[in-house]
């Protein structure tokens, strides 16, 4: 009784609780909406100079248009509620039934049609504008062939003769001409902070372009449900200064063995490169971190518990079979989501190199035992 506010009806407590619940729910919705706009790694708020600034223009155009329509419709609704509420003196009477109103029906068909035309014009304009990669400062765009596979992205630089997976390296300020392909099913390539999204479709090549004005890491992901590993299909765009990018290109073309010596070291270094270029490391960490697939740290030579309940030793035979026929012997606790790598993708020598690389990831382990 003490807490009750003055003027509140005794039966008003239930209503006030409802009101409070509604305001709390409203606040949560507002908070969630604002946090989604806050500029996280997958925010669609564009970077300065990125092509999706133009998409953002359409967004604002639509948002303001929608706000005007909202105010008009809600205003009419509120006006109608108060203006035509049931008056006490007519409480006994019944409202006259209404059977259609031609004038109204024509109006509410034509007005939305006009609104749709207003939306379509700038949208189509910007789609056309963003279709062709522009030339900038007389520099040709850098072509990158993106191949989406279950469940990783591969990036090929035909002019540089480089292939990577999971991370796309680009120089800042340069237009990147993307050729989007699929190795299996439909995926969608999306780097929200830099550009719009585009599907990758088996049997065809889609084109889009992007630029990054500031160096940094931009998060990307597959935006089309493509199978059980869809949520794992993330990648990064690493935008570097032209000098850093050139250094990266040189490093890719002449990889240093990083401590390995002699033929074994060379083989392991090649294996490491293959593991990166083919996306292996997108799902298999090399430092023991949890990921979609078993970590490669300490894996070679260890005892693998299989989903079937058996145990196998991770020797050359097991690893080779797991690359060629990943569904054969599933590691307990992991899903059967890895694509098979046939001899056309990884030759027997390539598999040997990858195994040599995996062995280097187990050596430190053995030494500590
Ligand atoms: Cu690929 Cu979703």
């Amino acid at each position: 009784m003490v807490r009750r506010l003055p003027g509140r009806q005794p039966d008003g407590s239930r209503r006030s609780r409802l009101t409070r619940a509604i305001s709390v729910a409203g606040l949560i919705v507002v908070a969630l909406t604002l946090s989604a706009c806050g500029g996280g790694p997958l925010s669609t708020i564009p970077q300065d100079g990125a092509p999706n600034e133009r998409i953002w223009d359409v967004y604002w155009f639509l948002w303001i248009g929608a706000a005007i329509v909202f105010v008009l419709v809600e205003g009419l609704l509120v006006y109608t509620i108060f203006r035509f509420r049931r008056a006490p003196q007519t409480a006994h009477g019944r409202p006259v039934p209404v059977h259609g109103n031609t004038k109204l029906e024509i109006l509410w068909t034509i007005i939305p049609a006009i609104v749709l035309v207003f939306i379509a014009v700038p949208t189509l304009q910007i789609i056309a504008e963003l279709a062709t990669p522009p030339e900038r400062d007389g520099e040709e765009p850098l072509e990158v062939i993106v191949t989406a596979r279950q469940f990783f992205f591969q990036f090929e630089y035909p002019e540089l003769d480089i292939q990577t997976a999971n991370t796309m390296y680009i120089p800042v300020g340069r237009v990147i001409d993307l050729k989007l392909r699929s190795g299996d099913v439909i995926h969608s390539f999306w780097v929200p902070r830099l550009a719009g999204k585009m599907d990758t479709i088996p049997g065809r090549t889609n084109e889009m372009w992007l630029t990054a004005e500031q160096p940094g890491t931009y998060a990307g992901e597959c935006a089309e449900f493509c199978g059980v590993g869809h949520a794992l299909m993330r990648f990064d765009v690493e935008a570097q200064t032209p000098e850093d990018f050139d250094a990266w290109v040189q490093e890719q073309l002449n990889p240093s063995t990083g401590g390995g010596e002699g033929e074994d070291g060379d083989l392991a270094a090649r294996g490491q490169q293959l593991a990166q270029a083919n996306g292996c490391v997108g799902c298999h960490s090399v430092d023991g971190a949890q990921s979609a697939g078993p970590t490669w740290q300490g894996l070679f030579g260890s005892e693998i518990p299989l989903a079937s309940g058996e145990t196998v030793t991770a020797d050359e035979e097991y690893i080779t079979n797991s690359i060629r026929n990943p569904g054969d012997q599933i590691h307990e606790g992991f899903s059967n989501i890895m694509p098979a790598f046939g001899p056309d993708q990884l030759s027997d020598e390539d598999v040997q190199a990858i195994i040599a690389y995996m062995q280097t990831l187990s050596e430190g382990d053995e030494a500590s035992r």
Side-chain angles (χ1 to χ4, degrees), residues 163-186:
Q163 198 185 14
T164 70
N166 303 314
T167 304
M168 179 168 82
Y169 292 83
I170 60 169
V172 293
R174 182 139 177 216
V175 174
I176 312 298
D177 178 12
L178 299 167
K179 302 273 192 296
L180 302 170
R181 296 176 183 165
S182 168
D184 34 54
V185 301
I186 298 177

Side-chain angles (χ1 to χ4, degrees), residues 68-84 104 111:
I68 292 171
V69 171
F70 177 82
V71 169
L72 273 178
V73 171
E74 295 304 305
L76 266 176
L77 182 68
V78 171
Y79 170 78
T80 312
I81 287 170
F82 285 100
R83 173 70 181 75
F84 301 105
L104 258 184
I111 292 176

Side-chain angles (χ1 to χ4, degrees), residues 42 88 126 130 149 154 163 211 270 300:
L42 291 170
I126 286 170
L130 294 179
R149 297 179 188 281
Q154 271 179 315
Q163 198 185 14
T211 53
R270 208 169 83 77
F300 192 85

Side-chain angles (χ1 to χ4, degrees), residues 260 264-265 268-269 296 300 354-365:
D264 284 357
W296 282 3
F300 192 85
I354 288 174
I355 290 174
Y357 171 51
M358 291 173 81
Q359 275 170 319
T360 67
L361 297 168
S362 293
E363 275 159 14
D365 224 44

Side-chain angles (χ1 to χ4, degrees), residues 31-107:
L32 285 178
T33 313
L34 287 178
S35 67
C37 295
L42 291 170
S43 160
T44 51
I45 297 173
Q47 279 274 308
D48 284 344
N52 59 342
E53 267 190 335
R54 300 291 290 132
I55 299 172
W56 200 244
D57 291 344
V58 193
Y59 171 82
W60 277 117
F61 176 78
L62 293 185
W63 197 92
I64 292 166
I68 292 171
V69 171
F70 177 82
V71 169
L72 273 178
V73 171
E74 295 304 305
L76 266 176
L77 182 68
V78 171
Y79 170 78
T80 312
I81 287 170
F82 285 100
R83 173 70 181 75
F84 301 105
R85 70 184 190 280
R86 189 158 79 167
Q89 63 268 34
T90 60
H92 60 280
R94 290 184 174 200
V96 186
V98 177
H99 294 288
N101 182 320
T102 316
K103 215 186 277 175
L104 258 184
E105 281 174 21
I106 289 175
L107 266 181

